[in-house]
Amino acid sequence: MLQRIQSFYLVLAVVGIIMLFQFPIATYTMPNMTRTGEMTSELQLIGKDSRYQNDSRDITEISYIGQDLVKLKGGWVLCVMAALVGVVALASIFLFKNRILQMRIVACGGMLNMIYIFLVFFWAINGTGGNGGYLKALQDLHITSDTIAVNMWTPGTIIPIVTLILLYLAQRAIKKDEMKVRAADRLR
């Protein structure tokens, strides 16, 4: 039943989760080894092939585009968490006949999404938890953290926050529907 507003919110949340696999989570910019140009590395949920782009004829100004400079250890955890949030949101769309169960499933999806956001910001990007993150792996290559510029406000980090808001709005709309049904049952 897609004419209800909570179904619309849930569909938007599923589309957002699907878009997560297309955008980078964070972008790291650092000087290249000769310090004459910059290398750019992206942290993505699914690793893509690395590509080299030469901006000029000088071979020292090759800029790195892609993720394969270093791999995030345990990056599959982020993929699984994002997929779980998407599956839970998709499954809850079809539970419109059982609003109580639908509210609980959407709440579980919201909790999974909060865990995913925590993992992205505190484990994957900064590397303060777990076995280190992407920034720590770059530092292990003897690239100092003061020369690394981290852009963590990419679509890959904004979309989960928007998805969390959409899941909250869906749960609120489901609760409002349940209250209307209970009020109608009371009047009978």
Side-chain angles (χ1 to χ4, degrees):
M1 183 171 261
L2 288 177
Q3 67 262 23
R4 295 171 41 205
I5 190 69
Q6 57 264 32
S7 298
F8 180 68
Y9 290 145
L10 292 170
V11 166
L12 285 178
V14 170
V15 169
I17 294 298
I18 291 170
M19 288 173 46
L20 272 180
F21 290 95
Q22 302 299 318
F23 294 110
I25 295 173
T27 306
Y28 299 88
T29 306
M30 65 210 87
N32 63 9
M33 299 308 171
T34 60
R35 305 232 185 250
T36 58
E38 288 184 338
M39 295 188 313
T40 303
S41 183
E42 295 176 343
L43 174 60
Q44 302 215 0
L45 279 179
I46 297 177
K48 296 191 164 77
D49 292 334
S50 60
R51 303 176 313 276
Y52 290 94
Q53 173 183 343
N54 192 354
D55 294 332
S56 69
R57 304 259 183 230
D58 187 7
I59 198 163
T60 61
E61 292 189 22
I62 291 176
S63 62
Y64 180 86
I65 301 172
Q67 177 186 329
D68 292 330
L69 185 60
V70 275
K71 298 243 186 226
L72 178 65
K73 294 177 184 173
W76 61 271
V77 174
L78 293 177
C79 289
V80 169
M81 288 299 292
L84 277 175
V85 172
V87 167
V88 165
L90 184 65
S92 64
I93 293 172
F94 301 106
L95 295 173
F96 58 89
K97 290 185 180 179
N98 190 348
R99 285 173 299 281
I100 300 295
L101 179 62
Q102 189 180 28
M103 270 194 304
R104 289 180 182 158
I105 298 276
V106 170
C108 288
M111 291 299 290
L112 286 172
N113 199 2
M114 283 192 281
I115 293 169
Y116 174 80
I117 292 170
F118 176 80
L119 286 175
V120 164
F121 281 105
F122 295 104
W123 178 70
I125 294 177
N126 295 331
T128 57
N131 58 358
Y134 198 73
L135 189 59
K136 184 172 181 338
L138 287 175
Q139 291 169 352
D140 289 344
L141 290 175
H142 305 294
I143 301 171
T144 59
S145 62
D146 58 335
T147 60
I148 301 173
V150 180
N151 178 14
M152 63 182 176
W153 294 110
T154 60
T157 55
I158 294 172
I159 289 173
I161 296 168
V162 171
T163 303
L164 183 64
I165 293 169
L166 288 170
L167 289 172
Y168 170 74
L169 291 174
Q171 185 175 9
R172 213 171 92 186
I174 296 166
K175 186 175 182 180
K176 189 185 288 186
D177 273 2
E178 181 63 24
M179 298 309 269
K180 284 181 187 177
V181 168
R182 285 187 182 178
D185 286 345
R186 226 178 334 168
L187 292 176
R188 286 184 200 175

